[in-house]
Amino acid sequence: MTRVHDHGGGVRSLRVPIPDNPLGHTLVYVVDTDRGPVLVDTGWDDPASWDALTAGLTACGTSVADLHGVVVTHHHPDHHGLCGRVREASGAWIAMHEADTAIVRRTRRTRPDRWFTYMTAKLTAAGAPADHVAPLGAAGPRTRLPGLSPALPDREIVPGELLPLPGRRLRAIWTPGHTPGHVCLHLEEEHPARLPGNGRLFSGDHLLPGITPHIGLYEDPEDATVTDPLGDYLDSLERIGRLAPAEVLPAHQHVFADARARVRELLAHHEERLAGLHALLAEPLTPWQLAVRMEWNRPWERIPHGSRTIAVSEAEAHLRRLVKQGRAEPVPGSDPTAYRAV
């Protein structure tokens, strides 16, 4: 059954399924403009997802062919995946922040074997055991990875500027952390039900009502810059809290109000987590060892291989925040590098 929800004021949402994922679906938003509908995200590149998107647009009284553009909150395949098919069917433009466009460009030119080599080196440096690293080397160059040929955007989202949506006021807010180029989109129009607050916010994965987004590392193998994605995320959260929208329209779960309260919850959650990791570092630990000891939504032994790799990336992001705060430091001479509390 097609799931379409009318949020009023020329904004509707479609549930586009994500195959084999506990999140279940991406909320793709359809925003009416004077030149035709514009999508906020598109969903995963999968036949069932495409069918849900097209059926949802039909239920809205429109079609893929009528689309004017696509605004992508960030490059992840459950948001960006169907952009290419949408553009082929409609001629719609695709807009994305330059930092995530750089990742898309790098992904498109990266061969699977190079990706496996890079991930093997990263995981080994993080202290991953041989039985976790070995499957990457055995995968081989012909292994197909999802999202390795994403559509290259043809327009740039410039933070602080209004997007080209005729008849609407949709302003881009750069909110790095979940990805380097993640953007929230502020609809600077009175809420259709006149709820108190400052318009509505399409929050992507930055601000979700009941879960915290993954904060990991997205680095160019040829760039030695040491990033601080968790610090970026926390700063971005505070920026959204000050905006105080009347309602938040996230990419997962459900619409909610009181963004400031949710921001406070997330800031407190991350500070509590950092304090817990600081306590764990009373003994020197590699990023892998720290990830094993961190609390997840299920026991470590039940976390599948790919999700463990993501967990290690998140552990590294938290370690970088602790190091930048002066609360942790690498242990000299350790190989792989271990960290300890300061």
Side-chain angles (χ1 to χ4, degrees), residues 30-72:
V30 185
V31 182
D32 293 338
T33 81
D34 291 345
R35 291 190 186 172
V38 168
L39 297 184
V40 176
D41 294 332
T42 59
W44 192 278
D45 185 5
D46 178 80
S49 305
W50 175 255
D51 290 345
L53 178 65
T54 56
L57 289 169
T58 298
C60 290
T62 186
S63 70
V64 174
D66 296 328
L67 293 174
H68 176 56
V70 180
V71 184
V72 186

Side-chain angles (χ1 to χ4, degrees), residues 26-29 39-43 70-74 79-80 204 251:
T26 301
L27 291 172
V28 171
Y29 293 93
L39 297 184
V40 176
D41 294 332
T42 59
V70 180
V71 184
V72 186
T73 60
H74 61 296
H79 298 259
H80 178 215

Side-chain angles (χ1 to χ4, degrees), residues 123 126-133 214 273 277 280 286-316:
L123 286 166
D131 61 353
H132 182 84
V133 177
H214 165 68
R273 191 164 211 196
L277 300 187
L280 289 174
T286 65
W288 176 273
Q289 291 169 330
L290 185 62
V292 171
R293 290 162 175 77
M294 290 170 69
E295 289 190 16
W296 305 103
N297 60 1
R298 50 191 152 171
W300 183 259
E301 59 271 14
R302 289 173 49 198
I303 297 177
H305 182 275
S307 296
R308 289 187 180 189
T309 297
I310 294 172
V312 174
S313 179
E314 185 146 335
E316 288 191 276

